[in-house]
Amino acid sequence: MKIKSIEQIRSNFPALKRTHNSFPIAYFDGPGGTQVPTRVAEAVTDYLFNHNGNSAWAYPTSEETTDLVKSARQTFAAFFNSDPNEVVFGANMTTLTYHLSRALGGNLKVGDEIIVTDLDHHANVDPWKQLETEVGAVIKSVKFNLANGKLDIADFKNKLSSKTKIVAMGAASNALGTINDIKKISQLSHDVGALVFVDAVHYAAHHLIDVQEFKCDFLACSPYKFYGPHAGVLFGRHELLQKTNFPKLVPAYDAAPYNAETGTPNFEGIMGAAAAVNFLASLAEGNSTREKLVNAFTELEIRGNLLLAKLWNGLSAINGVKLYGPSPGSPRTSTIAFTVNNYSSEEITKKLVENGIFTSHGDFYATTVVERLGLSEAGLVRAGCACYTTEEEVERLIRSVASL
């Protein structure tokens, strides 16, 4: 099943027309936030200019807002492979995770255990760790293999017990690109009666989410990592959302998923987020939004793997360059982390800018990963391939690193 050409895809992104030092900019900073196609900005503008109003009242713009939010839930239900009433909109993944962790924390007692990992972004660590002091929970963190960036499943099994009540796990590492076996983790967790929360922020830009396959209880993602505006979206099994005691105002709706949405939503952000999903669906053919997404992501994964292999092989051939995370062929995303001898990650990023290449540097809030790799001072350089990344851009990145 073929999708649109790279030229057709790139034509949707005005940011790709920008240049620096006479070079067209190569945006490898996608893991921190991708560029936005025209239709996403148009969806935000159209809402604000033509439909702006609060929801649930008996006048046209309010009714239009209500209908548009309903349509957005249906769009994200296709994206998650869930029901629309299992879709929660919020400010960002971190805020949603704090909101959920506080609600679930109210059901914990002293000594109940929560499992997190050393591989995760701290948005899926700190909200849970803070329940240690708030409710007396015990936090256990799963190690990862420093040599290949893979989660230590044996360590996870050892830490899992009848006392485990919540397992908070990333679907993919935003620093190293490692993809975890969420289906297996969910099964093992459910066997001891634990709930499973998945951080799919990095995963969602590279692989299509399927909560039925994952068998998770909750999952969060950030549309700005897959061509949308700055917003957050949460999946939760409806029966769990309904019985979870979210902090809320007394007059607010009690029914899920509205009970999990505190305050007036960012309606324009919701419209843009749905437009991002529809953009991805538009890249391929199919009889439904879900089928189009499956076909689009299948082809994008093939393209991404080819770019990943080219980038990995090119960088690994350069003296003084060290790569981190699983090698090509392992379950991973098309995001690469590397260092160059005698340079900090910030210095490398600044050098690459001279050739119109934008990468990110530091620890990306995956602070424990960088600490365990012994790179707290120098940091990592992170280069992520997106749907608009070309072979020429990968080759330019390799040449630019080699010139150091």
Side-chain angles (χ1 to χ4, degrees):
M1 178 65 193
K2 298 298 182 183
I3 63 171
K4 291 181 178 178
S5 67
I6 185 65
E7 292 79 17
Q8 289 173 313
I9 291 173
R10 286 175 65 86
S11 69
N12 290 278
F13 293 86
L16 300 182
K17 297 176 182 178
R18 181 168 174 166
T19 62
H20 186 85
N21 283 352
S22 299
F23 289 98
I25 293 175
Y27 292 95
F28 285 98
D29 61 335
T34 49
Q35 299 306 307
V36 174
T38 303
R39 68 187 294 169
V40 168
E42 288 176 343
V44 173
T45 302
D46 177 66
Y47 174 76
L48 289 173
F49 284 172
N50 300 309
H51 309 286
N52 192 24
N54 215 323
S55 62
W57 286 325
Y59 59 88
T61 51
S62 179
E63 292 169 343
E64 290 161 13
T65 295
T66 300
D67 289 342
L68 286 167
V69 173
K70 180 180 179 180
S71 176
R73 287 194 208 279
Q74 293 169 340
T75 298
F76 270 92
F79 188 67
F80 291 147
N81 195 20
S82 71
D83 290 327
N85 64 9
E86 296 178 317
V87 175
V88 175
F89 295 114
N92 49 61
M93 178 269 177
T94 303
T95 301
L96 283 167
T97 306
Y98 265 112
H99 193 46
L100 178 65
S101 66
R102 264 65 224 145
L104 296 179
N107 296 324
L108 299 178
K109 63 181 185 296
V110 174
D112 283 346
E113 296 177 355
I114 300 172
I115 293 179
V116 297
T117 86
D118 289 352
L119 193 58
D120 274 282
H121 187 292
H122 269 238
N124 198 27
V125 176
D126 293 344
W128 307 105
K129 289 187 83 170
Q130 288 165 19
L131 292 175
E132 278 187 307
T133 56
E134 293 176 12
V135 300
V138 175
I139 308 298
K140 295 184 175 180
S141 190
V142 180
K143 299 176 182 178
F144 69 95
N145 187 308
L146 297 179
N148 59 26
K150 296 181 181 180
L151 194 71
D152 188 337
I153 293 297
D155 188 46
F156 171 66
K157 291 179 179 179
N158 287 336
K159 288 184 166 68
L160 201 62
S161 74
S162 59
K163 294 182 179 180
T164 307
K165 303 304 176 185
I166 299 169
V167 172
M169 191 76 63
S173 166
N174 72 308
L176 305 180
T178 313
I179 290 178
N180 295 320
D181 188 346
I182 296 299
K183 181 178 180 179
K184 182 177 182 179
I185 289 164
S186 291
Q187 180 182 346
L188 292 170
S189 302
H190 289 151
D191 285 346
V192 299
L195 295 174
V196 177
F197 173 84
V198 176
D199 170 7
V201 171
H202 184 65
Y203 183 94
H206 302 277
H207 299 272
L208 184 59
I209 294 167
D210 188 339
V211 296
Q212 306 304 323
E213 177 73 14
F214 282 173
K215 298 193 181 304
C216 56
D217 300 297
F218 301 96
L219 176 147
C221 65
S222 299
Y224 69 96
K225 301 296 178 75
F226 51 90
Y227 318 109
H230 293 92
V233 189
L234 172 74
F235 156 81
R237 287 199 290 119
H238 187 258
E239 63 272 24
L240 288 177
L241 289 176
Q242 187 64 61
K243 71 179 185 180
T244 298
N245 187 26
F246 289 99
K248 59 180 286 296
L249 305 182
V250 173
Y253 292 114
D254 292 321
Y258 312 104
N259 62 332
E261 295 176 341
T262 303
T264 301
N266 175 9
F267 294 121
E268 60 269 29
I270 292 171
M271 305 316 149
V277 174
N278 287 325
F279 163 73
L280 286 164
S282 75
L283 301 182
E285 297 178 352
N287 295 319
S288 65
T289 300
R290 181 68 187 183
E291 186 176 331
K292 291 176 182 177
L293 287 168
V294 169
N295 293 334
F297 271 88
T298 298
E299 292 296 320
L300 289 174
E301 286 173 30
I302 293 172
R303 290 184 183 182
N305 287 335
L306 291 173
L307 293 173
L308 167 72
K310 188 179 187 71
L311 185 55
W312 183 281
N313 293 334
L315 290 176
S316 62
I318 303 170
N319 288 333
V321 172
K322 184 173 181 179
L323 295 159
Y324 300 85
S327 58
S330 302
R332 61 147 29 256
T333 68
S334 53
T335 293
I336 284 181
F338 65 95
T339 55
V340 181
N341 284 351
N342 304 317
Y343 288 94
S344 71
S345 60
E346 183 175 359
E347 288 171 333
I348 298 165
T349 293
K350 288 180 177 178
K351 289 285 186 180
L352 295 176
V353 168
E354 295 173 6
N355 292 331
I357 297 167
F358 289 7
T359 58
S360 43
H361 59 85
D363 66 20
F364 329 111
Y365 280 29
T367 310
T368 306
V369 172
V370 176
E371 287 176 351
R372 290 203 60 210
L373 292 172
L375 297 170
S376 294
E377 185 174 349
L380 288 166
V381 180
R382 182 178 64 180
C385 299
C387 74
Y388 44 68
T389 304
T390 67
E391 287 192 34
E392 182 280 327
E393 291 174 332
V394 168
E395 291 166 356
R396 191 178 355 143
L397 173 56
I398 295 169
R399 290 195 307 271
S400 299
V401 173
S403 72
L404 298 177

